[in-house]
Amino acid sequence: MTTTDLKPRLNHAHVRDLLKKMIRIRRFEDTCAEYYTREKIRGFLHLYDGQEAIAAGIIPLLGEQDRVVATYREHGHALVRGVPMGSVLAEMFGKREGCSGGRGGSMHLFSRAHNFYGGNAIVGGGLPMATGLALADRMTGTRAVTVCFFGEGAMAEGEFHEAMNLAALWHLPVLFVCENNGYAMGSALALTEAETGLTTRAATYGMEAETVDGMDVVAVEAAARRALTSISTTGKPQFLECKTYRFRAHSMFDAQLYRSKEEVKEWRAKGPIVRFQGWLEENALLHSGEVAEIEAEVDAEIKEAVAFAEAATDEPIETLTDFVLSPERPTPPDTPAEPGSLRVFTYRDAMREALTDAMDRDDRVFLMGEDVGHYGGCYAVSMGLLDRFGPDRIRDTPLSEAGFTGAGIGAAMAGMRPIVEIMTVNFSLLALDQILNTAATMRHMSNNQFGVPLVIRMATGAGKQLAAQHSHSLEGWFAHIPGLKVLAPATIEDAYGMLQTALSDPDPVLIFENVMLYNSEGPLPEKPSAVNIDRAAVRHVGDDATLITYGGSLPKTLHAAQRLFDEHHISTDVIDLRSLRPLDMETILASVRKTRRALIVDEGWRSGSLAAEIGMRLAEEAFFELDAPLARVCSEEVPIPYPKHLEQAAIPQTGKILDAVLHLMEASA
């Protein structure tokens, strides 16, 4: 950061600049409101009218290396940060010359060149990401600070508390700025918060906190200087509540039935521009006619911005799917490991070896999650790694999946290579917002300015008698989401090699480790290699039917294949999908066109399953080459039971697979 002086220097140039910044935001947004009524700007439009003093008082204090995370009301933040007005307006017009290539719109302005990490349409959604950006700076020893803006409504979100706790716990250089405008959408603060003293809440995390008049730009700047100086000195986070008021509706759709016109009028009389301009004129700090001069300068800039946005072009439809994933793909590791001497490893040991080797090779790689350090991981995968790599790279986290997953996202965006371990797959639902709304969308929404090279590992599947809440197989859910890669290693070699490849991928990769595989044993080469995570593997070769499966169902399917051959002289291809997104349909189709029969084995529930997706793709692409109807074996439509015999009956087993193939061989298309 560049500013450590505690007091604003209110010389003529500075006060003129402060006033111009606020007028510039106000008049730009007046223009946006006009173009919204003309239907040039669509979707939600949230205006900053009344809150200009906050962005104008804080953001100019930051250095180029510092980072800004904003909210869906972020036009003012972007303008003050230096994002060109024309590219901001073009983005709001949805044009390719916009700062996000027209892919983000009003709520998602991004600029890598300005370290502007975007607006976020999810209330509180940017808070965990901000902690991750700061974590990367803490780990790499930079002097940067991350400033995270959010409204008071976000303070009711769990992600607020999780982010604040992480930042305080790990002493992260974050300035949390609450823009308290009194209303979370249409609900007044007193109606939604048991404790309306917001700095009191921040102080419970042991964080220095201050409340300031957010309508007074000088007071905001002075408070921000104090906070940034403290962060520079201590490295610890700070919380700043700026009490303000938004003069316009929550968004342009809002009828404002929740507050009176008299209330708005009263606040407008003490707005930041009126107040500061009056003070300057009263104290002769502005020359005669200077306000008109400033307004003329701003209007000229707005005129140019409008012309730029009006002349901007639509993104060609042919580019619709660009930047769902990075266009720069690493070379697939198609060369298998040299056989050499083989060692017998468990699946668990192979994962641990993969983690160890990755961290030895790349200082950017670190592991974080619940109990990964001192406990050694819920399934003992990270046992011993804390002693080897220390607490900075083997990070025990609080029980806050959204918080530490979001922190992993931020750290990845800042150049680190985090591995986030979520203890069990059901806990991933607590982090689904961060995975779905940030990790999976960031590259496309920012027009390839920001990627999230993050690896998330989690245990999945049934068989341990953990009953309905710890026995899910939700891989198919995540495989539904564009922007993610979803892996399910089923062999010892894949347990090692798929993690290595995932860490070199520029996009978020989820690895699902079936709990029934951790104790399985198999050979691992002395010098194992990375594995191509985009291709399926044919684990058993035959001519009569194709069995398609993944993860914990692979051993059962292979056992069924062997029994089919030994007992019924039926030979089968067994395809281990390995990657659930993207699906390697080339390998699947080649096998099915050879055998002309297909059975899909999927531990997910039948309705809406991954098996249904694969079956539909086969129907679309190979229907006339089938000699029998498509078939599948899935988990029963029931929450996984606790009793062993019921649990086993609920999920695919070798006998069910064998019977399904025999039935398939008797059928005709």
Side-chain angles (χ1 to χ4, degrees):
M1 75 193 79
T2 58
T3 297
T4 55
D5 294 338
L6 286 176
K7 293 185 178 180
R9 299 187 180 185
L10 299 179
N11 55 38
H12 174 262
H14 185 53
V15 297
R16 186 187 192 280
D17 185 58
L18 286 176
L19 182 62
K20 182 175 180 179
K21 281 181 168 59
M22 292 193 291
I23 290 175
R24 183 169 177 256
I25 296 170
R26 178 73 59 84
R27 292 174 91 88
F28 171 77
E29 292 210 316
D30 287 344
T31 302
C32 292
E34 176 188 343
Y35 277 90
Y36 189 87
T37 62
R38 296 188 192 182
E39 298 190 353
K40 293 281 189 175
I41 299 172
R42 302 313 300 146
F44 291 129
L45 177 62
H46 307 84
L47 299 178
Y48 202 54
D49 194 356
Q51 302 179 211
E52 298 89 351
I54 303 171
I58 296 174
I59 293 177
L61 304 179
L62 304 177
E64 289 184 4
Q65 78 279 14
D66 297 327
R67 312 175 197 274
V68 177
V69 177
T71 71
Y72 46 78
R73 201 183 304 279
E74 87 276 31
H75 319 124
H77 307 92
L79 291 175
V80 177
R81 186 56 174 165
V83 183
M85 185 183 287
S87 69
V88 172
L89 190 59
E91 182 61 36
M92 297 167 77
F93 278 25
K95 302 297 184 177
R96 68 186 306 180
E97 289 82 3
C99 60
S100 305
R103 296 171 184 266
S106 170
M107 296 185 287
H108 306 110
L109 307 176
F110 294 92
S111 177
R112 173 171 282 283
H114 298 87
N115 262 339
F116 192 78
Y117 283 75
N120 198 313
I122 310 302
V123 175
L127 285 153
M129 182 176 76
T131 64
L133 293 168
L135 174 60
D137 289 326
R138 165 71 68 211
M139 294 181 72
T140 55
T142 67
R143 299 289 294 169
V145 65
T146 296
V147 179
C148 181
F149 295 90
F150 53 95
E152 82 286 349
M155 294 187 64
E157 295 282 357
E159 283 160 313
F160 166 79
H161 297 280
E162 295 182 23
M164 292 284 283
N165 185 47
L166 275 181
L169 181 68
W170 290 345
H171 294 176
L172 302 181
V174 188
L175 174 57
F176 293 103
V177 180
C178 176
E179 299 179 313
N180 179 3
N181 63 29
Y183 290 91
M185 196 165 175
S187 299
L189 187 65
L191 297 177
T192 59
E193 300 295 333
E195 172 57 70
T196 58
L198 303 186
T199 53
T200 302
R201 195 172 308 173
T204 62
Y205 294 101
M207 192 180 298
E208 288 189 29
E210 181 178 352
T211 299
V212 66
D213 183 353
M215 309 294 266
D216 182 343
V217 68
V218 176
V220 171
E221 182 183 332
R225 285 176 179 272
R226 289 190 291 273
L228 292 170
T229 299
S230 178
I231 294 173
S232 178
T233 303
T234 67
K236 296 181 180 180
Q238 297 277 312
F239 178 89
L240 183 61
E241 178 196 7
C242 299
K243 288 192 171 181
T244 184
Y245 192 86
R246 56 172 168 79
F247 299 151
R248 287 184 180 265
H250 170 72
S251 74
M252 292 294 287
F253 280 133
D254 178 9
Q256 295 199 83
L257 302 177
Y258 49 86
R259 60 183 184 177
S260 67
K261 292 180 180 179
E262 290 72 26
E263 178 183 311
V264 177
K265 183 179 179 180
E266 180 183 342
W267 274 96
R268 275 198 179 276
K270 50 187 177 184
I273 296 175
V274 169
R275 184 173 175 178
F276 190 53
Q277 182 179 324
W279 182 78
L280 293 176
E281 291 172 344
E282 183 180 332
N283 290 276
L285 292 174
L286 282 182
H287 306 313
S288 176
E290 203 160 359
V291 173
E293 184 181 290
I294 290 171
E295 290 175 342
E297 293 169 2
V298 169
D299 287 345
E301 184 185 9
I302 291 173
K303 184 177 180 181
E304 288 184 11
V306 169
F308 179 83
E310 291 275 24
T313 55
D314 290 333
E315 184 80 5
I317 292 176
E318 293 74 21
T319 67
L320 173 65
T321 58
D322 285 1
F323 310 136
V324 175
L325 299 173
S326 172
E328 299 176 3
R329 311 303 309 165
T331 302
D334 284 327
T335 305
E338 292 292 331
S341 58
L342 297 175
R343 302 165 291 167
V344 175
F345 265 51
T346 65
Y347 186 99
R348 174 186 295 105
D349 292 338
M351 291 297 308
R352 185 185 303 118
E353 181 103 336
L355 289 168
T356 302
D357 289 352
M359 296 180 73
D360 279 338
R361 281 197 305 269
D362 190 343
D363 290 340
R364 300 174 301 164
V365 177
F366 67 97
L367 174 69
M368 66 175 170
E370 298 151 333
D371 291 315
V372 298
H374 294 85
Y375 193 88
C378 179
Y379 290 95
V381 170
S382 54
M383 186 71 70
L385 297 188
L386 178 63
D387 292 338
R388 177 161 181 163
F389 295 105
D392 202 41
R393 296 183 68 195
I394 305 296
R395 287 185 170 266
D396 282 320
T397 66
L399 306 181
S400 56
E401 287 80 5
F404 66 75
T405 300
I409 290 169
M413 293 174 67
M416 301 297 283
R417 286 289 182 167
I419 303 170
V420 168
E421 179 177 312
I422 296 177
M423 189 178 291
T424 62
V425 67
N426 51 313
F427 293 160
S428 70
L429 300 182
L430 298 169
L432 185 58
D433 170 44
Q434 290 293 319
I435 297 170
L436 170 65
N437 283 313
T438 303
T441 63
M442 184 58 64
R443 185 178 297 282
H444 188 265
M445 200 163 53
S446 71
N447 200 39
N448 203 36
Q449 293 182 81
F450 295 107
V452 184
L454 169 70
V455 173
I456 301 176
R457 298 175 40 247
M458 62 189 95
T460 186
K464 293 284 188 179
Q465 285 191 259
L466 300 177
Q469 292 183 339
H470 278 307
S471 302
H472 298 89
S473 295
L474 303 180
E475 303 91 299
W477 290 19
F478 287 97
H480 177 69
I481 302 172
L484 301 179
K485 287 196 169 184
V486 179
L487 310 181
T491 67
I492 307 302
E493 202 162 344
D494 280 358
Y496 177 94
M498 296 189 93
L499 177 64
Q500 303 304 315
T501 312
L503 283 167
S504 68
D505 200 279
D507 296 303
V509 180
L510 276 56
I511 301 179
F512 291 85
E513 302 162 15
N514 191 280
V515 294
M516 299 307 292
L517 296 175
Y518 281 124
N519 291 329
S520 62
E521 291 187 340
L524 189 70
E526 189 68 35
K527 294 182 179 180
S529 64
V531 170
N532 187 342
I533 62 175
D534 293 336
R535 300 304 299 267
V538 180
R539 302 295 187 189
H540 188 274
V541 178
D543 298 313
D544 298 320
T546 297
L547 312 185
I548 304 161
T549 191
Y550 66 90
S553 293
L554 177 64
K556 302 172 187 177
T557 305
L558 287 171
H559 187 206
Q562 191 60 51
R563 284 186 57 189
L564 285 163
F565 184 76
D566 292 343
E567 300 171 15
H568 303 279
H569 307 293
I570 297 171
S571 67
T572 57
D573 271 0
V574 176
I575 296 177
D576 176 6
L577 292 172
R578 306 201 293 184
S579 175
L580 311 186
R581 188 179 187 101
L583 281 170
D584 179 9
M585 287 305 299
E586 181 182 344
T587 297
I588 295 170
L589 286 165
S591 175
V592 171
R593 284 168 177 152
K594 176 185 70 171
T595 67
R596 308 181 75 85
R597 288 178 172 83
L599 173 75
I600 306 144
V601 182
D602 179 2
E603 198 169 310
W605 291 301
R606 191 172 189 269
S607 297
S609 63
L610 184 67
E613 172 64 24
I614 296 170
M616 188 63 201
R617 292 199 190 188
L618 286 171
E620 290 170 339
E621 300 181 50
F623 179 78
F624 293 105
E625 296 166 80
L626 296 173
D627 285 344
L630 295 164
R632 53 183 163 157
V633 175
C634 299
S635 287
E636 300 296 329
E637 303 281 294
V638 60
I640 301 298
Y642 166 69
K644 184 70 172 178
H645 68 291
L646 294 180
E647 179 183 44
Q648 294 300 302
I651 61 178
Q653 301 294 347
T654 297
K656 286 185 179 180
I657 299 167
L658 189 147
D659 289 344
V661 175
L662 293 176
H663 181 74
L664 187 66
M665 298 304 296
E666 295 170 357
S668 59

